[in-house]
Amino acid sequence: MIRILLIHDAPLLRSALASLVAGEADLEVRTTSWREALDSARSHGADICLVDADYPVASRLSAARDLVQHTGGAPAALVVLAQAGKPGLLRQAVAARARGFVSKDASRERLLEAIRRVFDGERYIDATLAYDFLQAAEIPLTPRELSVLSLAAEGTPLPEIARALHLTRGTVRNYMAAITRKTGARNRVDAIRISQEAGWL
């Protein structure tokens, strides 16, 4: 029996996803919100953690990386549902040690195949995400630039960004100029939009 912990904060979507994998003789599905995910993992265990890569924010992937270590026994394997055209999210999913990558446009059969193959110790990459994986290796921003842009996206003023990252204001301005140039943006707001759409933030 493959124990699946399906994590999503939207109850309706959580139920819809669960219905896709329910009814299979070899699968046992338990659902939870992110707030209750750690307790559920510790209490009931899981072989597979199934998560949506970009809901509600990509930072959930780093939480998932920690979560799979607390599943009552051997660490669970992480399978993510990803939307094509967001290579940055795939990069973050790889960093979170995901082993399965399924397109949100995939059929139910492909999702089930991914779950079973990952459970068997294999990796699974949906063919429709292959091009995004190639792009995921080409994120133009450095980790420091992403830190600056992430704070800017939260509305943090430049002086506070400088203090938070222990930089001078001039250095932060230089980073923002580099970010704008590298993303091909017109300004800071445009750079944030481009980066969010690509899944880098």
Side-chain angles (χ1 to χ4, degrees), residues 139-152 161 165 167 171-172 174-183 195 201:
I139 293 177
L141 304 179
T142 66
R144 178 60 92 178
E145 288 167 345
L146 285 171
S147 296
V148 170
L149 191 59
S150 179
L151 289 171
I161 293 175
L165 299 178
L167 302 170
T171 300
V172 173
N174 289 341
Y175 275 128
M176 288 306 308
I179 290 165
T180 302
R181 184 183 72 254
K182 288 181 177 182
T183 58
S195 298
L201 291 180

XYZ file of all heavy atoms in Angstrom, residues 139-152 161 165 167 171-172 174-183 195 201:
237
model
N 18.375 30.350 -15.075
C 17.890 31.526 -14.345
C 19.013 32.557 -14.317
O 20.115 32.263 -13.853
C 17.459 31.147 -12.919
C 16.229 30.246 -12.987
C 17.160 32.388 -12.091
C 15.756 29.755 -11.640
N 18.756 33.762 -14.807
C 19.849 34.727 -14.965
C 20.296 35.421 -13.684
O 21.336 36.064 -13.674
C 19.250 35.746 -15.946
C 17.779 35.703 -15.660
C 17.484 34.259 -15.336
N 19.513 35.291 -12.616
C 19.816 36.039 -11.394
C 20.597 35.192 -10.394
O 20.363 34.002 -10.248
C 18.518 36.527 -10.748
C 17.601 37.368 -11.638
C 16.355 37.767 -10.886
C 18.338 38.590 -12.167
N 21.524 35.835 -9.710
C 22.303 35.164 -8.678
C 21.443 35.029 -7.414
O 20.428 35.725 -7.264
C 23.561 35.966 -8.320
O 23.148 37.202 -7.703
C 24.399 36.268 -9.560
N 21.828 34.149 -6.481
C 21.065 34.047 -5.230
C 20.941 35.380 -4.492
O 19.893 35.697 -3.930
C 21.878 33.029 -4.422
C 22.528 32.165 -5.454
C 22.864 33.108 -6.577
N 22.002 36.193 -4.500
C 21.943 37.496 -3.831
C 20.955 38.420 -4.533
O 20.177 39.136 -3.889
C 23.333 38.125 -3.787
C 23.357 39.503 -3.152
C 22.870 39.470 -1.709
N 23.981 39.298 -0.788
C 23.864 39.266 0.522
N 22.664 39.379 1.077
N 24.908 39.098 1.299
N 20.953 38.400 -5.860
C 20.008 39.228 -6.609
C 18.571 38.774 -6.341
O 17.672 39.610 -6.215
C 20.332 39.164 -8.101
C 21.605 39.907 -8.467
C 22.110 39.605 -9.859
O 21.654 38.608 -10.466
O 22.989 40.353 -10.342
N 18.369 37.480 -6.228
C 17.034 36.977 -5.913
C 16.594 37.407 -4.516
O 15.417 37.710 -4.292
C 17.008 35.448 -6.017
C 16.999 34.882 -7.437
C 17.195 33.370 -7.410
C 15.700 35.238 -8.165
N 17.541 37.468 -3.576
C 17.212 37.927 -2.220
C 16.779 39.388 -2.241
O 15.797 39.769 -1.595
C 18.431 37.766 -1.300
O 18.775 36.416 -1.144
N 17.512 40.204 -2.981
C 17.165 41.623 -3.096
C 15.796 41.784 -3.743
O 14.932 42.519 -3.255
C 18.240 42.379 -3.913
C 17.769 43.791 -4.260
C 19.555 42.441 -3.133
N 15.581 41.058 -4.841
C 14.324 41.191 -5.568
C 13.145 40.658 -4.757
O 12.045 41.205 -4.814
C 14.419 40.453 -6.905
C 13.284 40.716 -7.897
C 13.200 42.208 -8.239
C 13.471 39.893 -9.158
N 13.369 39.604 -3.995
C 12.310 39.044 -3.158
C 11.829 40.059 -2.125
O 10.623 40.224 -1.910
C 12.816 37.777 -2.462
O 11.825 37.234 -1.629
N 12.771 40.756 -1.501
C 12.398 41.793 -0.542
C 11.701 42.958 -1.235
O 10.721 43.511 -0.710
C 13.632 42.288 0.213
C 14.229 41.291 1.219
C 15.568 41.793 1.744
C 13.257 41.053 2.377
N 12.171 43.314 -2.413
C 11.531 44.391 -3.171
C 10.096 44.009 -3.537
O 9.185 44.841 -3.499
C 12.343 44.704 -4.427
N 15.964 47.084 2.738
C 16.608 45.966 2.050
C 18.092 45.961 2.375
O 18.681 44.923 2.681
C 16.396 46.060 0.520
C 14.921 45.871 0.161
C 17.245 45.014 -0.209
C 14.613 46.075 -1.312
N 19.969 42.886 4.471
C 20.985 42.060 3.820
C 22.408 42.513 4.144
O 23.370 41.997 3.579
C 20.767 42.070 2.299
C 19.422 41.502 1.819
C 19.297 41.611 0.304
C 19.251 40.052 2.263
N 23.943 45.362 3.458
C 24.551 45.965 2.281
C 24.413 47.474 2.369
O 23.621 47.998 3.148
C 23.851 45.475 1.000
C 23.836 43.967 0.739
C 22.905 43.651 -0.419
C 25.247 43.458 0.448
N 24.964 49.573 -3.048
C 25.081 48.196 -3.520
C 23.714 47.639 -3.895
O 23.574 46.949 -4.919
C 25.733 47.311 -2.437
O 27.031 47.822 -2.138
C 25.840 45.868 -2.904
N 22.695 47.963 -3.094
C 21.343 47.500 -3.419
C 20.886 48.109 -4.737
O 20.294 47.425 -5.583
C 20.358 47.843 -2.286
C 18.915 47.525 -2.703
C 20.714 47.075 -1.024
N 22.775 48.995 -7.177
C 23.521 48.304 -8.229
C 22.904 46.940 -8.538
O 22.812 46.535 -9.699
C 24.993 48.131 -7.832
C 25.752 49.443 -7.847
O 25.327 50.412 -8.469
N 26.861 49.492 -7.135
N 22.493 46.240 -7.466
C 21.831 44.944 -7.675
C 20.540 45.123 -8.463
O 20.246 44.354 -9.385
C 21.529 44.274 -6.332
C 22.671 43.469 -5.757
C 23.110 43.678 -4.447
C 23.318 42.486 -6.518
C 24.152 42.940 -3.915
C 24.365 41.745 -5.988
C 24.777 41.985 -4.682
O 25.803 41.244 -4.146
N 19.749 46.136 -8.099
C 18.485 46.358 -8.801
C 18.707 46.706 -10.261
O 17.956 46.261 -11.142
C 17.666 47.459 -8.112
C 17.041 47.064 -6.776
S 16.027 45.562 -6.820
C 14.918 45.920 -8.169
N 19.750 47.472 -10.535
C 20.075 47.805 -11.928
C 20.456 46.542 -12.700
O 20.046 46.346 -13.848
C 21.212 48.825 -11.969
N 21.251 45.671 -12.051
C 21.658 44.417 -12.696
C 20.455 43.518 -12.932
O 20.334 42.872 -13.984
C 22.709 43.703 -11.849
N 19.546 43.471 -11.955
C 18.341 42.650 -12.074
C 17.490 43.127 -13.244
O 17.008 42.333 -14.060
C 17.535 42.692 -10.762
C 18.275 41.941 -9.656
C 16.128 42.130 -10.962
C 17.752 42.217 -8.259
N 17.303 44.436 -13.327
C 16.500 45.006 -14.405
C 17.118 44.681 -15.763
O 16.417 44.286 -16.710
C 16.376 46.530 -14.227
O 15.792 46.798 -12.947
C 15.508 47.148 -15.311
N 18.435 44.796 -15.855
C 19.127 44.498 -17.114
C 19.022 43.017 -17.471
O 18.696 42.655 -18.607
C 20.594 44.910 -17.002
C 21.382 44.729 -18.308
C 22.843 45.088 -18.140
N 23.559 44.079 -17.347
C 23.945 44.238 -16.086
N 23.703 45.377 -15.453
N 24.591 43.279 -15.448
N 19.282 42.148 -16.516
C 19.307 40.704 -16.786
C 17.930 40.146 -17.153
O 17.826 39.184 -17.910
C 19.848 39.949 -15.571
C 21.342 40.119 -15.342
C 21.775 39.300 -14.132
C 23.261 39.371 -13.885
N 23.659 38.535 -12.723
N 16.883 40.712 -16.570
C 15.534 40.215 -16.860
C 14.921 40.888 -18.085
O 13.844 40.480 -18.532
C 14.598 40.432 -15.656
O 14.559 41.836 -15.329
C 15.057 39.631 -14.450
N 9.893 38.027 -13.047
C 10.464 36.987 -12.182
C 9.391 36.126 -11.539
O 9.545 34.916 -11.398
C 11.344 37.627 -11.109
O 12.428 38.324 -11.706
N 10.575 33.795 -8.128
C 10.253 34.317 -6.795
C 9.089 33.533 -6.205
O 8.181 33.141 -6.932
C 9.848 35.794 -6.882
C 10.947 36.784 -7.240
C 10.373 38.193 -7.287
C 12.080 36.721 -6.234
